[in-house]
Amino acid sequence: MSTRIVVEGLTKRFGSFEAVTDVTFTAPAGAITALLGPSGSGKSTVLRMIAGLEEPTAGRIVMGDEELTVKSVQERRVGFVFQHYALFRHMTVADNVGFGLRVRKEDKAVREARVRELLELVHLEPFADRYPAQLSGGQRQRVALARALAPAPKVLLLDEPFGALDAKVRQDLRRWLDELHRELGVTSVLVTHDQEEALELANQIVVMHEGRVEQVGSPGEIYDQPVTPFVAGFVGAANVLNGEVIGGHVHLGSIRIPGAAHLDEGAAAAAFVRPHDVRVASGDGDVSAVVERVASLGWLSRVSLRLPGGETLVAHVPNDELHGVGEGDAIRVDLRNPKAFLAPHETSAREEITSPA
């Protein structure tokens, strides 16, 4: 039976520096929960506290019905997979996988059967007698995952497990891990700064920034219904148009963008629009723009636009919807599904979230 993880008010200080502040979320049983955020957001510190590798300054951690806040790593029965594999170089693949079972003094026959089962599960049976140096990066990470699963942990914790791999191997391993998780159903917490990885793998995402939780929700909720400017800008590419709230719209020059009815009249506001929500219209769009550049990305194109006030707008447009649009053309566009927030007060914060990927 899968085990849920409850994290309540988790705080961690290193001297005078507070790395994590009042982090609260529940990782549902049998699901993958991703802790997503930029470097330094505190996500790995939270994972290490769940594992028992760091002691919280405040807060509590509960797995199932058992509070584990002050219990040792050994008492927690968690499997941990690191970014850099942490395999024993002098041990074979089979010995690496069976290491935890040997430490627990499992019967040799039981240990060998479990190792064979796991190597089959991770598709590495032919490599049992090889050493880590004889494997590719993706194969080493599968060995590390098999080793973490060997003692049948209550939960699986993964700290940037694909961060050291190239893009193609990461994509392959993500698909493989998704299939493996569907088969095993073990409660998992995944730390990543890769938005695509979190959106593809996780059932739930906890977005973190500067040691705090910004939003908790499903991938669809995080992407389509961001509740803070940081989430809107960090998860997926976004155009950010800064203006003033007038009559429930964000006004910048002659452009009126809806979606600001919840904001105070006259407030400085930022409207976030995804590049795929910038629709190149056939002449009757709401906003006029000039095409500065068209770059092919395969089946779609990245169109850079200049608005009347000098603002830059990026659109991702399927090639069959371009209708011959080229550089220098004056066109009309529609801005769909905008999300409006009070404008960030600090210039540095604004710059961090305004550059479309």
Side-chain angles (χ1 to χ4, degrees):
M1 183 176 177
S2 297
T3 303
R4 74 169 184 165
I5 307 168
V6 178
V7 172
E8 294 181 354
L10 216 56
T11 297
K12 178 63 179 178
R13 297 187 190 93
F14 296 97
S16 61
F17 173 65
E18 192 160 280
V20 171
T21 305
D22 195 26
V23 168
T24 297
F25 65 89
T26 296
I32 296 179
T33 294
L35 304 182
L36 174 66
S39 297
S41 60
K43 55 192 186 296
S44 289
T45 302
V46 170
L47 195 74
R48 290 175 65 83
M49 286 190 283
I50 295 173
L53 299 172
E54 296 283 357
E55 184 177 338
T57 305
R60 61 198 295 260
I61 300 162
V62 178
M63 290 187 192
D65 297 323
E66 184 180 7
E67 181 166 352
L68 301 178
T69 311
V70 297
K71 294 201 173 182
S72 68
V73 176
Q74 292 75 19
E75 291 175 291
R76 297 189 188 210
R77 293 280 305 277
V78 301
F80 206 114
V81 180
F82 298 90
Q83 176 177 343
H84 293 289
Y85 326 126
L87 299 178
F88 299 109
R89 290 179 295 175
H90 64 286
M91 291 186 183
T92 65
V93 166
D95 288 341
N96 265 285
V97 173
F99 178 77
L101 299 174
R102 190 163 62 251
V103 169
R104 289 171 54 183
K105 296 182 169 53
E106 289 282 0
D107 177 79
K108 182 178 180 182
V110 172
R111 186 173 74 238
E112 290 178 348
R114 177 66 171 158
V115 168
R116 283 195 301 271
E117 175 190 353
L118 286 165
L119 288 179
E120 182 178 351
L121 188 68
V122 301
H123 310 304
L124 288 174
E125 314 98 293
F127 300 89
D129 296 325
R130 295 195 186 182
Y131 290 88
Q134 297 172 302
L135 304 179
S136 68
Q139 289 169 334
R140 290 181 207 173
Q141 197 57 288
R142 280 190 276 158
V143 174
L145 185 55
R147 184 180 62 184
L149 291 170
K154 292 180 179 180
V155 300
L156 182 63
L157 308 178
L158 305 108
D159 192 3
E160 301 272 11
F162 311 134
L165 305 170
D166 64 45
K168 179 64 169 65
V169 176
R170 283 203 306 271
Q171 289 178 348
D172 291 343
L173 276 183
R174 284 206 301 262
R175 285 192 292 269
W176 172 80
L177 180 60
D178 183 48
E179 294 171 1
L180 183 67
H181 183 266
R182 291 173 189 273
E183 182 176 345
L184 297 178
V186 61
T187 305
S188 303
V189 181
L190 166 73
V191 162
T192 182
H193 64 271
D194 187 321
Q195 306 150 33
E196 182 180 322
E197 188 168 284
L199 292 169
E200 180 179 341
L201 279 176
N203 307 101
Q204 174 180 266
I205 297 175
V206 179
V207 182
M208 294 189 63
H209 180 50
E210 296 182 344
R212 297 179 181 271
V213 172
E214 292 270 338
Q215 185 173 351
V216 180
S218 69
E221 289 168 342
I222 295 295
Y223 188 84
D224 295 322
Q225 301 167 38
V227 298
T228 69
F230 175 79
V231 176
F234 182 74
V235 182
N239 296 283
V240 182
L241 301 172
N242 293 293
E244 181 183 1
V245 178
I246 302 175
H249 293 68
V250 177
H251 281 241
L252 53 157
S254 61
I255 299 174
R256 296 192 323 151
I257 304 173
H262 61 294
L263 301 180
D264 293 338
E265 186 77 6
F272 290 71
V273 183
R274 304 287 188 197
H276 63 78
D277 282 327
V278 179
R279 180 60 59 88
V280 175
S282 57
D284 56 354
D286 291 335
V287 179
S288 62
V290 175
V291 178
E292 291 197 319
R293 189 167 184 268
V294 179
S296 175
L297 302 178
W299 65 275
L300 59 77
S301 291
R302 185 180 192 270
V303 182
S304 298
L305 304 164
R306 180 69 64 181
L307 299 181
E311 303 90 352
T312 297
L313 196 66
V314 172
H316 288 169
V317 185
N319 291 334
D320 60 2
E321 295 180 14
L322 274 177
H323 306 301
V325 166
E327 295 178 9
D329 289 350
I331 62 171
R332 307 286 296 185
V333 298
D334 286 323
L335 307 181
R336 304 182 304 166
N337 304 317
K339 301 293 186 295
F341 300 92
L342 292 178
H345 295 294
E346 297 180 7
T347 302
S348 60
R350 186 178 301 116
E351 289 173 349
E352 179 181 344
I353 62 178
T354 55
S355 298

